[in-house]
Structures are given as C-alpha cells and as structure tokens.
Amino acid sequence: MADRDPGELSAADPASSRQASARGILRRSLSHIAAGTTDMAPGPMPLHASVYTDEARFAAERERLFLGGPIVAGLSGDCPESGDMFVFDAAGPSIIVMRGKDGMVRAFRNMCTHRGAKLIEEAEPWSGRGARITCPFHAWTFDNTGHLIAQPGKRAFADCAIGARDLIEVPCAEHLGLIFVRASGSEPIDAATHLGDFAPVLEQLELHRAEPVKKGVLEAGSNWKFALDTYGEGYHFKTLHASTIGQTHHNDMAVYDAFAPHHRISFPDRSLDAHAEADEADWPQTEYGGVHYVFPNTVIFFGALEPGSYFTQVFRLFPEGAGRTRCQFAVYAPFGITDESYRATVEAAYDGTATVVDEEDYRVASHAQTNLDHAPEDFSVVLGANEIALQNIHRSIAEAIGMPLPEARSA
Ligand code: FES
Ligand SMILES: [Fe+2]
C-alpha cells in the first residue's frame, strides 16, 4: 500500500484539501491502472463462518458497539435549526435527536416520563420540527431541550417535582457534521478521540453543509457484517455489478488507507484511463473522495454524478438479529440543494444505488447467510489480500467487543 499524499491534509480550506486528496488518490489510481495492481494486505485471511452466525458474538456486538458505543445517528443537516428533530431507533431503543433553542443538539429516550408512552410514534427515518413535543397519551409536554413544561391535571402530581420528570437524556455529540449518540449508558461521547486521525479526512467532506434529499431503509437477510463487507472491496464489480459499477469502474482495484478502526477506500473509475499517459498538470481537477468508513457501521460515500456535481450517500447498517440487517440509507446534497434539477439528480442517485444494493449486494449477502448458517462446522470464508479493508474491519470489531476471532482453518 502506498503512503497517503502528504499534502492532502494540510491544505488551508476544505475544497482545496478535497482536491489535493483527490489528486493523491488519482496518482495512486493511475499507477494501479498502469500496473494492473491494487492495494493489498500481506496475505489472505481465513475467517471462521461463525463470525457471521454466532448468537453470542451478535449479542456482544449489539451490547458493546450498537448500544454502548458511539453510533452515527445522522448528519447535522438532519436537524439544522432550533426545533428540528429526528428519530434514531435502529440501534435499539427509540431516541429523539433534537436541536434546542440554544443551538445544541441533544438526544433523549423517545419515552414519556409519565408512564412511558412513545412521544413520537413514527420510526426512523422520520424527521420533523416543533418547539415542543406533546405526549399522545395524556398530553405531558416537553420543550426542545427535554424539559417538562406542562402537565394537564397538575394537581394530581402535587408531590412530583416537575423538573425531576424531564426527558431522559442520552449521550450525544455533534462533530464535523456528524451526530453521534450512545443509545445506552451515560458516558459522554468524545467524538474527536473516537475518530482519531480519521478526523482531518472527514473534515474535508464538510459534512456540516450536507442537506438531506432522500432517505429510506434497505433490508438484507444477512449478518450486518456480511452486508458491510460489500462496501469494502471492488473485487466483485465485474461479476456482481456487470451492468452497473462493473461497466464504469475497474474491477479488483482500490486505493486504501487505514485510520484504524476507520478507513477510506476509493475505486478507480474507467474514465481515468484517458489520463494514464497525460502529464500530471493536465489531469482533471476533481474532488472525488470515495468510501469513508466510520467504525463500526457507517459508510459515507462522496462521489460525483458528473464532473463538478457531487452527492454524499450515507449507509448506516444495524443488526436486527444475527442474520438480519437494516440499513438506514440517506442521500445528501453535500453543499446544499442549489436548484430543483440538482435535487432530482441527487434523488436519482438514491434510487439507482438502492436498486443495485438491494438487488445485487444484499441479494448475494442474503443467500450467503443461508449457506453460512448451514455450513460445515469447520468452514471458514477467506478474505483475499485484495480484501484488505474487510480484514481490518473484522479484526477491529473483534477487538472492540473483546472476543477474539475464532480459530479458522488456514487460508
Ligand atoms: S404517558 Fe405521556 S402523558 Fe401519560
Ligand atoms: Fe457491491
């Protein structure tokens, strides 16, 4: 694996930083195109099939990663103004994320403190706005900082201090345009520490400017990690995506950078071939960034619809059981929606991608899961040296849940 371009993280403003970054990726892509190579791990890695099927491992992942860890609940643009709110319920308990009148984003259990009714009955990706939330059961009312501000029939609660019945707050942090929530537990979120040296790379994307265009849910009948694996290698483009990405992108070719446990991976477009012989000064100026993986379950793809016209796709994968995945998928206009025709193009980027993911990637994942569920006891899948991102994802997850990867048959 080549080193990152040293200039890419030091540019003064995000746009030139993205361009420097894209230039570094282009340089490495062209060298792979010329040599027919890809960034690789030192060797293949066997992975015991139980990583995808074991209930105890799934329980540990849900507990340690999805309930106990910081998870991306959305982007700043999902609740840009005071009073904006959205539901985040994919990690476990239903949570309301809302921006208060002081501009701060907070997260609360979507649970009335009277008798536990659900305040907002809609599921993710619901979003809305309002200065207050009124419980549908007996109309207790809370403001957008979680304070209980009205109780009908208040005299019946004479000994019940109103302040003691505010909404139950859960840890939440807004950083670099990402909103992180810890669904269970009270430890504050240190997003900068969580992102580590990946932060400057994400900062280039200016995620705080992204405006949502379309959101939905994709389902896979597979373990969440099998679905996640499909975002980390381009080895399947030519076969599985023969009529889509396989046409436009090089197969089995990637530029990969680890910022453990996160990573960035870019897949060279065939249109780059035209520049293979060109002088670097004549290369096109792009801001293409590729796939940005935020541990443990979020994939942010920054790409171009056409030169100069970008979109950001965010896939957040959640386990619904050892063998079921719910993916919250959203597409954003990275720097705001400039006009209706641009909005329509970004919307089309949602529809096209949702179809490919659903009918191709998740189809294969679902069938593979059935096989793995019934695989011989000693069966291991093998992650090739060319599937380096997957190797590192599985190692990082195993480490984070404190369960070593099971002994696997040698590659
Ligand atoms: S449960 Fe919400 S007001 Fe009664
Ligand atoms: Fe794919």
Side-chain angles (χ1 to χ4, degrees):
M1 189 178 76
D3 287 334
R4 292 196 301 280
D5 186 320
E8 75 168 71
L9 301 181
S10 57
D13 68 276
S16 48
S17 179
R18 281 194 297 279
Q19 287 164 6
S21 182
R23 177 55 59 105
I25 292 169
L26 182 55
R27 195 174 291 127
R28 290 165 60 191
S29 296
L30 288 174
S31 108
H32 280 318
I33 290 169
T37 51
T38 182
D39 285 345
M40 293 217 277
M45 171 183 156
L47 186 68
H48 193 273
S50 65
V51 163
Y52 298 106
T53 60
D54 182 46
E55 290 288 342
R57 185 167 288 272
F58 157 68
E61 288 166 351
R62 193 169 57 174
E63 198 60 34
R64 300 288 291 272
L65 304 179
F66 291 91
L67 293 173
I71 291 285
V72 174
L75 302 193
S76 297
D78 292 316
C79 57
E81 310 280 345
S82 160
D84 288 341
M85 60 186 95
F86 64 87
V87 167
F88 166 54
D89 61 10
S94 186
I95 287 167
I96 304 172
V97 176
M98 54 189 170
R99 195 175 295 275
K101 45 189 176 291
D102 56 357
M104 287 271 296
V105 176
R106 297 177 181 81
F108 303 93
R109 288 294 184 101
N110 183 8
M111 183 171 80
C112 182
T113 49
H114 173 214
R115 281 172 49 205
K118 208 167 183 180
L119 297 166
I120 295 169
E121 294 177 339
E122 278 83 359
E124 201 173 343
W126 178 89
S127 64
R129 97 176 256 122
R132 53 192 56 194
I133 300 175
T134 298
C135 180
F137 203 177
H138 315 91
W140 281 28
T141 297
F142 305 85
D143 72 10
N144 58 22
T145 55
H147 290 116
L148 176 61
I149 51 171
Q151 285 168 304
K154 204 165 176 304
R155 67 186 180 285
F157 299 90
D159 294 330
C160 169
I162 193 164
R165 290 278 155 182
D166 288 344
L167 291 182
I168 300 166
E169 190 161 1
V170 298
C172 178
E174 185 176 27
H175 188 57
L176 303 179
L178 292 169
I179 297 170
F180 292 93
V181 168
R182 195 188 303 284
S184 178
S186 55
E187 193 195 331
I189 295 172
D190 181 347
T193 301
H194 177 59
L195 293 173
D197 62 355
F198 195 39
V201 180
L202 280 179
E203 193 168 10
Q204 295 175 358
L205 301 182
E206 296 188 274
L207 293 170
H208 61 282
R209 295 177 61 191
E211 200 174 329
V213 172
K214 187 164 181 178
K215 297 178 186 182
V217 179
L218 304 170
E219 302 270 357
S222 78
N223 183 268
W224 71 280
K225 300 187 298 301
F226 203 105
L228 180 64
D229 288 344
T230 66
Y231 299 85
E233 45 90 2
Y235 179 37
H236 68 282
F237 287 177
K238 192 164 100 184
T239 38
L240 186 59
H241 303 310
S243 62
T244 53
I245 311 165
Q247 297 280 321
T248 52
H249 288 71
H250 281 276
N251 191 61
D252 197 12
M253 194 175 282
V255 173
Y256 171 78
D257 292 302
F259 304 86
H262 322 282
H263 71 243
R264 180 183 65 189
I265 187 163
S266 306
F267 302 107
D269 195 295
R270 286 191 180 279
S271 69
L272 301 181
D273 299 15
H275 312 295
E277 305 294 323
D279 205 66
E280 185 162 334
D282 298 325
W283 288 356
Q285 188 62 71
T286 87
E287 297 183 15
Y288 169 76
V291 166
H292 298 69
Y293 165 66
V294 180
F295 185 83
N297 72 328
T298 299
V299 171
I300 302 170
F301 177 72
F302 180 77
L305 301 153
E306 51 201 51
S309 176
Y310 298 95
F311 63 85
T312 302
Q313 295 179 322
V314 179
F315 304 86
R316 295 178 302 118
L317 280 68
F318 295 89
E320 291 212 304
R324 264 213 91 68
T325 302
R326 163 177 164 191
C327 170
Q328 300 291 153
F329 178 35
V331 175
Y332 299 79
F335 314 113
I337 300 164
T338 45
D339 58 56
E340 284 311 303
S341 90
Y342 176 50
R343 179 200 291 275
T345 322
V346 177
E347 242 177 61
Y350 178 101
D351 297 336
T353 303
T355 304
V356 170
V357 168
D358 185 47
E359 295 180 4
E360 298 176 358
D361 296 292
Y362 288 4
R363 183 198 86 218
V364 164
S366 303
H367 288 312
Q369 185 71 34
T370 311
N371 277 339
L372 297 176
D373 282 339
H374 300 98
E377 222 161 89
D378 65 344
F379 181 73
S380 296
V381 302
V382 55
L383 305 174
N386 56 349
E387 297 171 300
I388 180 171
L390 279 49
Q391 296 191 8
N392 289 332
I393 285 174
H394 288 282
R395 286 196 188 98
S396 297
I397 291 172
E399 195 186 319
I401 62 169
M403 277 179 85
L405 290 171
E407 192 96 1
R409 200 171 64 183
S410 65

